């Protein structure tokens, strides 16, 4: 149990000890930006079809853009992006230890970050967790799959030329939307603007192929979903994920709303919950 910048982890994820997992800091960028052998991606040197042409999956994993984040442009809630407040960052580090420990004993790479409604702080928790994981020498990808109110780019203080929705709709290689964030050292697949056909996008074979292409490159992939009570997107994303972390903001969501939200999740996949902006 721990506090995340006023957020409380209300349920332990694992009690297992993690032993020697991870990479040296200089290796993180090299691992995230360089393609593995085709056998590592597909097990058979798979050639896929994207944009109407045959594409070797090894050519689709280089981020099209690298962004140097400006501290003055970051949202103040992104506490794990700097060392200004070690006390606020420490709970995220404890959550990271729990995730890595759980991953050592079970299949746990793709994590759905969900919340009942807008304003619970789900995106800031997702980005803070990604930064803390990257600092722990894990290769990390954040997939911003909230097509209702995407906010990662706003919190990070920059814009992208191509987003996830455009890449799916235009059948583009995922690398064209992938952004490498410095100095935090993780990758972002952003969403630039609201998309009304979110369910269609997430159920698309193109999205599935994107995930199959990208998954082997990362230790953890975090999906920032639309609110559970506002869209069915999180239910679709559960097919692409191994576990769910629920973000709750006390006083902002009612007990009945939380009950309805939890009912939409596979309880066997529920790792635990984070109380966001909780007073202790």
């Amino acid at each position: 149990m721990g506090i995340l910048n006023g957020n409380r982890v209300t349920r332990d994820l694992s009690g297992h000890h993690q032993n020697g997992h991870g990479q040296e800091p200089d290796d993180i960028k090299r691992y995230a930006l360089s393609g593995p052998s085709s056998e590592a991606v597909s097990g058979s040197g798979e050639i896929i079809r994207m944009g109407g042409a045959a594409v070797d999956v090894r050519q689709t994993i280089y981020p099209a853009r690298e962004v140097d984040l400006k501290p003055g442009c970051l949202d103040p809630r992104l506490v794990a992006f700097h060392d200004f407040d070690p006390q606020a960052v420490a709970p995220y580090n404890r959550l990271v230890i729990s995730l890595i420990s759980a991953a050592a004993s079970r299949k746990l790479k793709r994590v759905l970050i969900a919340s009942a409604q807008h304003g619970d702080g789900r995106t800031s928790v997702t980005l803070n967790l990604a930064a803390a994981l990257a600092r722990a020498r894990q290769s990390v990808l954040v997939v911003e799959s909230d097509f209702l109110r995407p906010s990662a780019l706003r919190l990070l203080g920059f814009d992208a030329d191509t987003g996830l929705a455009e890449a799916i709709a235009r059948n583009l290689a995922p690398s064209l939307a992938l952004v490498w964030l410095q100095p935090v050292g993780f990758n972002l697949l952003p969403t630039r603007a609201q998309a009304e056909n979110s369910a269609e996008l997430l159920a698309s074979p193109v999205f599935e192929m994107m995930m199959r292409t990208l998954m082997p490159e990362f230790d953890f992939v975090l999906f920032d979903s639309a609110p559970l009570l506002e869209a069915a997107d999180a239910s679709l994303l559960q097919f692409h994920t191994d576990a769910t972390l629920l973000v709750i903001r006390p006083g902002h969501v009612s007990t009945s709303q939380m009950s309805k939200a939890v009912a939409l999740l596979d309880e066997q996949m529920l790792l635990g919950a984070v109380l966001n902006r909780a007073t202790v």
Side-chain angles (χ1 to χ4, degrees):
M1 189 173 294
I3 306 297
L4 294 183
N5 186 29
N7 310 336
R8 177 179 299 167
V9 179
T10 59
R11 176 173 159 194
D12 290 335
L13 307 185
S14 172
H16 298 286
H17 176 68
Q18 184 268 340
N19 183 18
H21 183 69
Q23 300 158 307
E24 294 301 318
D26 289 343
D27 291 335
I28 297 177
K29 182 176 179 181
R30 183 163 57 249
Y31 179 63
L33 297 184
S34 63
S37 67
S38 55
E39 288 78 9
V41 173
S42 65
S44 59
E46 181 177 23
I47 302 296
I48 63 175
R49 289 269 172 185
M50 303 198 78
V55 179
D56 189 323
V57 290
R58 290 175 298 180
Q59 299 176 14
T60 65
I61 55 177
Y62 294 88
R65 183 181 177 190
E66 178 176 317
V67 172
D68 290 317
L69 299 174
K70 308 301 182 184
C73 296
L74 292 174
D75 189 280
R77 289 169 289 183
L78 300 183
V79 295
F81 282 61
H82 47 67
D83 297 318
F84 300 156
D85 190 350
Q87 187 175 7
V89 177
Y92 281 105
N93 293 336
R94 289 194 290 271
L95 181 56
V96 163
I97 292 172
S98 295
L99 282 173
I100 294 175
S101 298
S105 61
R106 54 169 286 191
K107 180 183 178 182
L108 179 59
K109 168 184 283 196
R110 307 167 301 171
V111 181
L112 174 64
I113 313 295
S115 68
Q117 58 186 11
H118 177 69
D120 289 332
R122 180 194 62 258
T123 301
S124 60
V125 169
T126 302
L127 295 173
N128 277 319
L129 179 56
L133 280 165
R135 186 170 296 182
R137 304 176 183 179
Q138 305 298 295
S139 55
V140 183
L141 169 65
V142 171
V143 180
E144 187 178 23
S145 41
D146 180 357
F147 294 115
L148 291 180
R149 295 183 183 89
S151 57
L153 292 174
R154 175 175 55 82
L155 295 178
L156 293 168
F158 75 97
D159 196 6
D161 298 324
T162 305
L164 176 59
E166 295 94 333
I168 297 173
R170 294 162 55 192
N171 201 11
L172 302 176
S175 60
L176 296 180
L178 203 60
V179 181
W180 170 255
L181 302 180
Q182 288 283 47
V184 287
F186 69 84
N187 284 272
L188 172 69
L189 197 55
T191 292
R192 300 181 65 244
Q194 183 181 26
E196 296 182 357
N197 59 335
S198 59
E200 179 183 343
L201 292 171
L202 293 175
S204 167
V206 177
F207 179 69
E208 181 180 359
M209 185 58 70
M210 283 184 174
M211 296 303 101
R212 287 178 57 190
T213 301
L214 291 169
M215 289 301 169
E217 293 306 298
F218 302 96
D219 296 318
F220 288 96
V221 180
L222 308 181
F223 292 82
D224 178 22
S225 77
L228 292 164
L229 299 182
E230 298 183 31
D233 297 5
S235 297
L236 291 172
L237 285 169
Q238 286 187 97
F239 292 105
H240 295 280
T241 54
D242 306 314
T244 301
L245 186 64
L246 189 60
V247 177
I248 303 170
R249 181 179 172 186
H252 186 258
V253 60
S254 67
T255 302
S256 62
Q257 287 174 322
M258 280 310 309
S259 297
K260 292 177 182 178
V262 171
L264 298 173
L265 299 172
D266 182 346
E267 292 190 13
Q268 293 183 344
M269 293 178 59
L270 187 59
L271 283 173
V274 173
L275 295 186
N276 185 33
R277 305 184 192 178
T279 58
V280 294

